[in-house]
Amino acid sequence: MAEQAATRRDFLRAGGALAAGVLLAPGVFLLGPAAARPAGEPASSRQRWGLLVDTRRCADGCDACVSACREENGWGGRGRPETDPQWIRKVRVRDPRSGRSFSLPVMCQHCAHPPCVDVCPTGASMRRADGIVLVDRHRCIGCRYCMMACPYKARSLEHEAVEDPRPWAPRGKGTVESCTLCVHRVDAGREPACVEACRRTGNAALVFGDLADPASEIARSVRELGGEALRADLGLDPGVRYLGLNV
Ligand code: SF4
Ligand code: SF4
């Protein structure tokens, strides 16, 4: 019980960012100075964590980001695609105007105005001040309202008993889950597992960072190259943006 409480605290805590700008291991970076926060300090609205996906660099047939997320967070792998949770998936799309067909990763878009939070009757579905949208498994009753409200189909219900959850990613039967942006890593000053894995392939189609920091790589790229939201017409202001959707 004490361990469970500690895990939950770890999951929700916002502090603990380490010193910045350090290469931990090949392909494993600490974030820039904007991420460094004293331990115990709550998540701050000074940051808006986000992802930029360059669809032009995202290779057909590659699912390194999906595999890395599954391994990092311990979901999937039962071979039952109808019911297995899926935190991130590769989706193939076709632009009817150009005829271009391409694939792109889709995960929780970490909306600034998330309908999944609005409809949750228990407060389990929540948005941190730094923009990361999470589910508190201890408060989730599995009603699935959030799954119905999410226009990106980003959430899954865990239908089966979870044998061996990762200590940093609490999961349980009968609760809903989705991409956490690897919040446990972000709070430690690291990048999400999908971003590291994508870079290791050489494609480097994913950039993680602070959209609110004008000097960050992600903010500069969005400013200079664009960065479209999926279904921008919905007005949810996602923290996940895409390049090359309309080329
Ligand atoms: S993508 Fe779906 S689950 Fe994620 S914040 Fe938006 S509405 Fe919620
Ligand atoms: S399934 Fe859980 S997180 Fe989703 S709306 Fe119901 S209680 Fe909230």
Side-chain angles (χ1 to χ4, degrees):
M1 193 62 173
E3 187 182 325
Q4 190 177 57
T7 302
R8 182 182 173 200
R9 271 200 308 279
D10 289 346
F11 181 66
L12 296 174
R13 87 189 156 85
L18 304 175
V22 179
L23 179 64
L24 294 178
V28 182
F29 291 89
L30 287 171
L31 300 175
R37 280 197 307 271
E41 186 176 297
S44 167
S45 57
R46 288 192 300 275
Q47 275 107 32
R48 170 95 197 269
W49 296 120
L51 274 177
L52 182 63
V53 181
D54 189 340
T55 63
R56 298 162 301 190
R57 301 183 69 104
C58 181
D60 276 351
C62 174
D63 72 345
C65 54
V66 178
S67 300
C69 179
R70 186 186 296 129
E71 178 61 29
E72 177 77 14
N73 294 294
W75 54 266
R78 296 191 184 100
R80 292 190 276 278
E82 301 82 13
T83 53
D84 279 349
Q86 187 129 40
W87 292 22
I88 175 174
R89 61 193 193 279
K90 283 292 288 290
V91 174
R92 172 155 285 280
V93 294
R94 183 175 171 278
D95 184 338
R97 290 165 297 186
S98 65
R100 176 179 168 240
S101 171
F102 57 102
S103 63
L104 70 172
V106 178
M107 68 296 283
C108 173
Q109 305 288 293
H110 298 278
C111 307
H113 313 294
C116 60
V117 172
D118 292 342
V119 300
C120 180
T122 68
S125 190
M126 61 189 170
R127 181 178 184 271
R128 295 198 334 179
D130 58 8
I132 300 178
V133 176
L134 298 171
V135 177
D136 180 346
R137 306 306 195 291
H138 301 281
R139 299 176 78 176
C140 177
I141 56 173
C143 67
R144 290 177 263 187
Y145 287 179
C146 57
M147 287 175 63
M148 288 182 274
C150 173
Y152 301 102
K153 299 190 186 310
R155 288 196 164 175
S156 310
L157 180 80
E158 176 52 85
H159 290 263
E160 302 184 37
V162 177
E163 302 293 339
D164 189 21
R166 306 286 187 265
W168 50 85
R171 307 181 54 242
K173 182 179 179 181
T175 63
V176 162
E177 53 194 26
S178 53
C179 158
T180 66
L181 264 187
C182 281
V183 64
H184 57 286
R185 285 173 162 248
V186 173
D187 283 345
R190 297 174 62 197
E191 294 179 315
C194 58
V195 177
E196 283 183 7
C198 186
R199 187 187 298 115
R200 275 197 299 272
T201 67
N203 295 319
L206 303 176
V207 174
F208 170 78
D210 183 3
L211 290 161
D213 174 4
S216 69
E217 180 186 357
I218 189 171
R220 269 191 285 113
S221 296
V222 167
R223 199 166 54 239
E224 291 165 14
L225 305 174
E228 279 187 75
L230 295 179
R231 291 299 312 270
D233 56 307
L234 296 174
L236 303 180
D237 187 11
V240 180
R241 310 287 173 81
Y242 291 82
L243 290 176
L245 287 181
N246 296 304
V247 177

